[in-house]
Amino acid sequence: MPQVTIKELASRLNLSISTVSRALGDSYEISQATRDKVKALASELNYTPNLYASGLRSQKSKTSR
């Protein structure tokens, strides 16, 4: 089974990608109901964040030496 992405979660919930990202990060800007919906679907689909993608964005690998 291919890895589930934020884009897929957003598409299934009819939300923007940024809203899904903020909901997964527990942003105060997103309502509790939306956060619960996003987290429930993420859990159901076994969503895991792509650490390589976040490392590229932040320019930090977060690996210890």
Side-chain angles (χ1 to χ4, degrees), residues 12-60:
R12 288 186 182 216
L13 293 169
N14 198 27
L15 298 170
S16 72
I17 296 167
S18 61
T19 299
V20 172
S21 177
R22 288 180 181 135
L24 290 171
D26 279 333
S27 173
Y28 68 91
E29 299 172 311
I30 309 300
S31 72
Q32 187 63 46
T34 302
R35 282 187 270 168
D36 292 342
K37 278 196 313 187
V38 170
K39 288 180 180 183
L41 182 61
S43 176
E44 179 183 321
L45 297 178
N46 297 322
Y47 167 78
T48 55
N50 185 333
L51 298 178
Y52 294 114
S54 63
L56 285 172
R57 281 191 309 277
S58 67
Q59 296 183 350
K60 296 179 182 179

